[in-house]
Amino acid sequence: MSIFQLFAALFALFMVYWVRTSHKRRQLSLLEASFWYSVWSVFILLSVFPNLLLGVAQTLHFARVFDLLVVLAFTVLTIQNFYLYLKNKKLEQKLETLARKMAMKQQL
Amino acid sequence: MNQAPKVYVVVTAFNEAKYLATFLRKLGRQELSFLVIDDGSTDQTASIARRYTKHVLSHPVNLGKGATMKTGAEFAFKHLGADAVIFMDGDDQHSPTDLKHFFAKLHPASQQAQLVLGVRSFDAMPKTRVFGNQLASALVKLLFGRYIPDIPSGFKALNRIAYQKLKWQSSDYGVELEIACKVAKLGLAFQTVAVQTLYHDLDRGMNLLDSFKIVYKILLWRINL
């Protein structure tokens, strides 16, 4: 196991701990916590046993498993970024509608 | 019997405590109905406005020029029965004596969209603003095929029909660009009046970096409309 794999596994363990405390504080529902536990568990598994993805990497013509993981990570980040952009836009519209309604209601 | 058309002046203000009283005093002398929309000011803007009109609406947070204009227009049209509104900035950059020129050209109760745009002279305008101003007009002409002068000017009048057609989405200063792009795209007729401008604070308003934003926003509107 390389030092990088060790760091990756420790990072994932820290994230599992963060999910646990968030769940205990009721910031995450059981379903949300379960989802994130699964994500970080898979992350730990792949950190320790990266060769589990070797078949997938070879099929997709990636030279290394690491390259596959980097591409996957960028894809996830792009999707997440777009999702957050849409959510933020929706929130801004709701805030504007609410603030304008409040201003008019106050005046009437 | 036909009622005289109702026109309201919508004054938009954000932290304009310094100049608002002066402006509203001048506006009051025109003996016109007006309302002030305070866009979440943190100074005395709202309380100053209340000394001059009962129609003062305050956003609980700062939303931006476009949202402020929307609040004013919607309140005037829906609740005050306005046939037309004239937008003015509360920073005393616009002269209320120019309002008579708007009234001369505006037909508030018309069944057609009525739009009158206040156009400033470039003589006293800071050079960076002239550049941004001309860039905006040139781009709209290039991308929409229509020349619209002095796009960033906040001094403009529109009747109810025009407002319904133009109902803008922008909540920030991009509203002026959006209105121009929509006027050009929809082929709405408009008239222009020459208006004076007083530049109190030269560090406010457009700077050179805003030119990039102008290009970006106009391109976006070209795609969206």
Side-chain angles (χ1 to χ4, degrees):
Chain A
M1 192 193 234
S2 71
I3 200 97
F4 179 74
Q5 284 176 269
L6 182 64
F7 276 137
L10 286 172
F11 168 71
L13 277 171
F14 168 74
M15 292 307 293
V16 166
Y17 171 73
W18 195 358
V19 170
R20 185 168 177 270
T21 51
S22 301
H23 179 50
K24 276 183 117 180
R25 284 183 200 151
R26 298 185 189 189
Q27 289 166 341
L28 291 173
S29 68
L30 180 62
L31 185 65
E32 286 168 328
S34 302
F35 170 76
W36 287 111
Y37 280 137
S38 309
V39 166
W40 294 114
S41 299
V42 168
F43 197 93
I44 294 169
L45 189 68
L46 290 176
S47 304
V48 176
F49 303 110
N51 287 339
L52 286 172
L53 282 180
L54 195 57
V56 177
Q58 284 171 347
T59 306
L60 295 174
H61 302 290
F62 282 96
R64 301 173 297 177
V65 170
F66 178 74
D67 296 340
L68 170 65
L69 290 174
V70 167
V71 169
L72 279 174
F74 268 114
T75 307
V76 166
L77 282 173
T78 306
I79 294 167
Q80 197 174 42
N81 191 40
F82 181 62
Y83 171 74
L84 286 172
Y85 166 77
L86 288 177
K87 218 160 161 98
N88 185 51
K89 195 173 173 182
K90 206 171 174 180
L91 275 171
E92 275 184 348
Q93 285 169 347
K94 282 184 179 178
L95 174 66
E96 190 196 305
T97 306
L98 177 66
R100 287 178 49 249
K101 265 190 184 159
M102 283 173 72
M104 284 196 258
K105 202 174 176 182
Q106 207 176 41
Q107 179 62 14
L108 290 170
Chain B
M1 188 170 71
N2 286 333
Q3 281 188 322
K6 275 193 202 173
V7 181
Y8 277 86
V9 175
V10 174
V11 179
T12 58
F14 172 59
N15 287 347
E16 301 293 1
K18 200 171 171 186
Y19 299 110
L20 188 65
T22 306
F23 173 70
L24 292 180
R25 259 197 302 275
K26 289 189 218 170
L27 185 58
R29 281 186 222 126
Q30 304 304 310
E31 293 180 353
L32 294 166
S33 306
F34 64 91
L35 56 155
V36 177
I37 316 300
D38 158 37
D39 188 20
S41 299
T42 52
D43 62 7
Q44 309 307 309
T45 294
S47 54
I48 291 169
R50 279 188 200 103
R51 286 190 239 145
Y52 297 92
T53 176
K54 61 180 180 179
H55 299 303
V56 178
L57 286 81
S58 289
H59 289 155
V61 291
N62 176 246
L63 296 177
K65 180 100 187 274
T68 313
M69 286 168 65
K70 222 187 295 186
T71 301
E74 277 188 20
F75 191 79
F77 288 128
K78 278 191 188 157
H79 300 288
L80 299 177
D83 295 297
V85 294
I86 306 176
F87 294 108
M88 295 184 81
D89 296 335
D91 55 3
D92 197 29
Q93 272 200 18
H94 301 143
S95 174
T97 54
D98 286 328
L99 283 164
K100 59 180 180 288
H101 304 305
F102 283 84
F103 280 99
K105 297 205 174 180
L106 190 65
H107 305 287
S110 167
Q111 296 307 304
Q112 307 276 327
Q114 289 282 304
L115 197 67
V116 183
L117 307 176
V119 177
R120 298 164 293 181
S121 159
F122 287 168
D123 295 340
M125 197 182 280
K127 292 288 174 266
T128 49
R129 293 192 203 182
V130 171
F131 175 72
N133 203 309
Q134 291 180 325
L135 176 68
S137 295
L139 275 173
V140 169
K141 168 78 179 163
L142 179 69
L143 296 173
F144 292 91
R146 219 160 154 215
Y147 178 74
I148 295 174
D150 200 8
I151 291 172
S153 170
F155 205 167
K156 45 174 61 80
L158 37 100
N159 71 349
R160 184 187 291 268
I161 311 283
Y163 176 67
Q164 281 164 357
K165 288 183 188 255
L166 290 173
K167 228 163 185 178
W168 47 89
Q169 295 167 34
S170 303
S171 55
D172 57 7
Y173 269 96
V175 62
E176 313 291 4
L177 277 174
E178 184 183 344
I179 289 174
C181 293
K182 280 184 170 170
V183 167
K185 175 75 179 175
L186 297 171
L188 296 181
F190 65 88
Q191 299 188 76
T192 59
V193 296
V195 297
Q196 310 161 58
T197 313
L198 306 161
Y199 293 100
H200 295 296
D201 295 319
L202 290 177
D203 60 333
R204 292 176 74 175
M206 250 196 285
N207 58 43
L208 211 53
L209 288 174
D210 291 322
S211 308
F212 294 105
K213 283 187 199 167
I214 288 169
V215 173
Y216 170 68
K217 282 190 188 276
I218 293 178
L219 284 171
L220 275 185
W221 282 116
R222 189 64 195 93
I223 296 165
N224 280 331
L225 290 175

